[in-house]
Amino acid sequence: MDAAARKGAKRVLVFGATGTIGRAAVRALIARGHTVLCVVRRPVEAHAFPGAQIRITDPGDRATLERVAAQDGPVDAAVACLASRTGLPADAWAVDYGANVNALGAARAAGVGHFILLSAICVQRPRLEFQRAKLAFESALIESGVDYSIVRPTAFFKSLSGQVDRVRRGKPFLIFGDGRATACKPISDADLAEYLVDCLEQTTYRNRILPIGGPGSALSPREMGEGLFRLLGRPVRFRSVPMGLIDAIAGGLGLAARFVPTLAAKAELARIGRYYASESMLVYDTAAGRYDADATPSTGRETLFDFYAKLIAGTVTLDRGAHAVF
């Protein structure tokens, strides 16, 4: 690390460091010479965060969280990569809103002047409870008086890689309808982490809502499937799931949940699935009433097909369990 980088080094609190994006953010911060304090719920092995300091506390205990965050003196900035595991209402309001509110309180107690939030681009058109919870915290952050950077990524590689094993086993790639109705600009964990650190270091990213995608053109599900078959050297095979079937399942579960409350969670998960099957993860042009790939900024170097190639080669694996709530 050169002298100029050390001179600009900051002390940074990281909330949600145990998730895939949180871990990547910690690595990127340390690589650029920043001092990192990871606030986590449970003890972690030291090698999980080499070069970082670990602080253990319950995110639901705001007073203790504030004390732990401030115990080593003033901190310059905070990065929050917290997200609910399921997207169900109780989970969403406890984490996407509640845990983030506590993190903001702890950051302010530590003297933080800049709070960087990992949000999601789907909050542009909120129809689900987890989206409303995220938006509620975004508003609380904006109104807090603390400088903020709200980062809304399009789609993660992990969420778009669930069919790789299926296709390798000779099964068709599943699409909704013709597979062309939606699109996104997938971004890797590492590229997103670098962008989060850019928000820390570049003043032009302060007090802004920042949609961001990965490199290259937007991809539809059909294009993702075609690229996967191309990498595997196999003929393209799709199986289409009618949108009407998804509507029927979501509607039926929603109706049944009125009489059988235990079905409420399944009904909400069906609504979440329906949303992602029908909405693009791109910047939404309200005036034009459409998603705009050209208006969706891009960053980074790794493409989704680069990641697919690594999965096929076995040089990376999908970490399905890493979705941090501290």
Side-chain angles (χ1 to χ4, degrees):
M1 186 61 56
D2 59 31
R6 286 195 298 270
K7 185 177 180 181
K10 294 179 171 62
R11 288 170 53 80
V12 186
L13 278 170
V14 178
F15 301 96
T18 56
T20 54
I21 308 302
R23 290 202 300 267
V26 170
R27 289 192 294 268
L29 285 162
I30 291 172
R32 295 205 203 174
H34 300 292
T35 298
V36 179
L37 296 84
C38 299
V39 182
V40 300
R41 182 192 295 269
R42 300 178 185 86
V44 294
E45 295 183 41
H47 66 73
F49 301 100
Q53 301 172 36
I54 307 300
R55 301 290 178 266
I56 303 168
T57 189
D58 180 357
D61 184 346
R62 181 167 176 173
T64 302
L65 180 60
E66 291 180 4
R67 185 172 65 253
V68 167
Q71 71 184 31
D72 297 310
V75 178
D76 299 298
V79 177
C81 299
L82 301 165
S84 59
R85 297 180 185 277
T86 64
L88 295 175
D91 192 19
W93 283 101
V95 180
D96 295 298
Y97 178 75
N100 272 313
V101 165
N102 288 348
L104 177 59
R108 297 184 72 172
V112 160
H114 185 196
F115 194 99
I116 301 164
L117 173 68
L118 179 65
S119 186
I121 204 166
C122 64
V123 301
Q124 297 174 111
R125 305 190 75 195
R127 298 176 182 171
L128 303 164
E129 207 62 22
F130 83 88
Q131 296 164 337
R132 298 184 186 100
K134 285 182 180 293
L135 279 175
F137 179 69
E138 285 190 9
S139 295
L141 175 57
I142 291 169
E143 295 167 4
S144 70
V146 175
D147 280 0
Y148 62 87
S149 300
I150 296 173
V151 179
R152 293 177 174 176
T154 59
F156 303 137
F157 289 178
K158 179 174 70 173
S159 63
L160 301 174
S161 300
Q163 295 197 64
V164 173
D165 283 343
R166 170 188 172 84
V167 172
R168 290 178 72 178
R169 295 195 304 269
K171 295 183 178 181
F173 191 96
L174 297 176
I175 54 175
F176 295 104
D178 66 1
R180 295 188 177 94
T182 64
C184 64
K185 286 187 174 182
I187 188 168
S188 74
D189 295 350
D191 286 336
L192 178 55
E194 292 293 338
Y195 187 80
L196 292 171
V197 184
D198 287 343
C199 292
L200 172 68
E201 298 176 347
Q202 298 185 27
T203 58
T204 54
Y205 288 174
R206 288 200 178 203
N207 299 319
R208 293 179 59 192
I209 293 175
L210 302 159
I212 194 67
S217 302
L219 296 171
S220 69
R222 178 172 284 273
E223 290 168 322
M224 294 176 200
E226 290 169 346
L228 177 56
F229 282 109
R230 191 163 52 246
L231 287 169
L232 289 167
R234 297 179 182 177
V236 175
R237 291 179 60 213
F238 289 108
R239 176 171 295 168
S240 175
V241 178
M243 286 301 301
L245 177 61
I246 305 300
D247 290 336
I249 292 171
L253 284 170
L255 179 62
R258 296 181 183 180
F259 305 98
V260 185
T262 55
L263 293 177
K266 289 184 178 180
E268 183 67 8
L269 291 173
R271 285 190 288 270
I272 291 172
R274 173 64 171 82
Y275 186 95
Y276 284 111
S278 58
E279 301 285 337
S280 290
M281 297 297 109
L282 299 168
V283 167
Y284 188 75
D285 184 334
T286 304
R290 63 180 180 85
Y291 289 101
D292 189 341
D294 292 335
T296 306
S298 296
T299 191
R301 294 173 294 180
E302 187 177 9
T303 70
L304 178 65
F305 298 130
D306 293 333
F307 186 71
Y308 280 175
K310 292 177 183 178
L311 281 176
I312 292 167
T315 57
V316 299
T317 57
L318 288 178
D319 187 357
R320 300 182 185 279
H323 207 42
V325 190
F326 279 70

